[in-house]
């Protein structure tokens, strides 16, 4: 599935970022950026304006909810998909209230990520 998406992966786990990257490379995303925490993610959004962001909810320094709030201030139309293995319903609800685009359960798999990419591509609004 060749596409021109610029995707940001934000997770404090290097292994999870690698798993996401492997899947995104199989989906042939144009550019893939990585952040180990919400602080770095916000800076990468400012610098690269990604089309899709996978954001872990629970992280040190700046968690996914805080980063989501800042990203939505910078880029109101940002498509931020919250990802967590320990995400409670309360955290998910808070993320959706703050403008999260969707949610994916970790560990991620090719099918769930591919479905999200197809959804974003169908909606248009990506860089060309």
């Amino acid at each position: 599935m060749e596409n021109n998406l610029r995707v940001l992966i934000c997770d404090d786990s290097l292994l999870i970022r690698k798993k996401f990257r492997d899947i995104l490379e199989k989906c042939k995303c144009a550019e893939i950026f990585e952040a180990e925490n919400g602080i770095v993610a916000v800076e990468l959004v400012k610098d690269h304006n990604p089309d899709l962001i996978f954001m872990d909810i629970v992280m040190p320094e700046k968690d996914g909810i805080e980063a989501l709030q800042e990203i939505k201030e910078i880029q109101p139309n940002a498509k931020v998909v919250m990802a967590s293995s320990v995400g409670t319903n309360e955290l998910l609800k808070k993320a959706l209230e703050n403008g999260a685009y969707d949610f994916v359960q970790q560990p991620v798999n090719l099918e769930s990520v591919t479905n999200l990419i197809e959804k974003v591509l169908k909606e248009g609004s990506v860089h060309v």
Side-chain angles (χ1 to χ4, degrees):
M1 171 199 348
E2 188 95 24
N3 67 71
N4 59 346
L5 289 181
R6 295 189 311 217
V7 183
L8 169 61
I9 307 159
C10 181
D11 199 296
D12 55 317
S13 166
L14 180 60
L15 288 174
I16 291 175
R17 290 197 313 269
K18 183 182 180 336
K19 173 84 170 161
F20 262 116
R21 178 176 280 280
D22 290 348
I23 291 171
L24 293 169
E25 286 174 352
K26 284 180 186 167
C27 294
K28 302 201 184 316
C29 292
E31 292 182 81
I32 303 167
F33 309 99
E34 292 185 34
E36 64 273 10
N37 62 52
I39 295 168
V40 176
V42 170
E43 290 306 310
L44 286 170
V45 167
K46 289 178 188 174
D47 294 344
H48 299 286
N49 192 24
D51 301 297
L52 182 60
I53 302 161
F54 289 97
M55 177 77 62
D56 187 18
I57 293 178
V58 180
M59 293 182 290
E61 296 186 56
K62 181 177 290 193
D63 69 29
I65 305 287
E66 292 172 306
L68 169 66
Q69 291 167 336
E70 284 188 44
I71 288 167
K72 292 304 261 184
E73 286 176 22
I74 298 163
Q75 194 186 80
N77 296 324
K79 290 179 171 39
V80 182
V81 175
M82 304 311 286
S84 184
S85 56
V86 295
T88 65
N89 286 339
E90 193 58 39
L91 287 174
L92 177 56
K93 183 178 178 220
K94 189 172 182 184
L96 293 171
E97 287 170 354
N98 281 283
Y101 178 70
D102 210 330
F103 175 80
V104 65
Q105 185 73 37
Q106 291 178 350
V108 292
N109 60 53
L110 180 62
E111 183 181 0
S112 63
V113 174
T114 302
N115 289 342
L116 281 165
I117 288 172
E118 287 174 353
K119 181 178 170 182
V120 169
L121 291 171
K122 280 180 190 165
E123 291 175 2
S125 71
V126 296
H127 301 98
V128 276

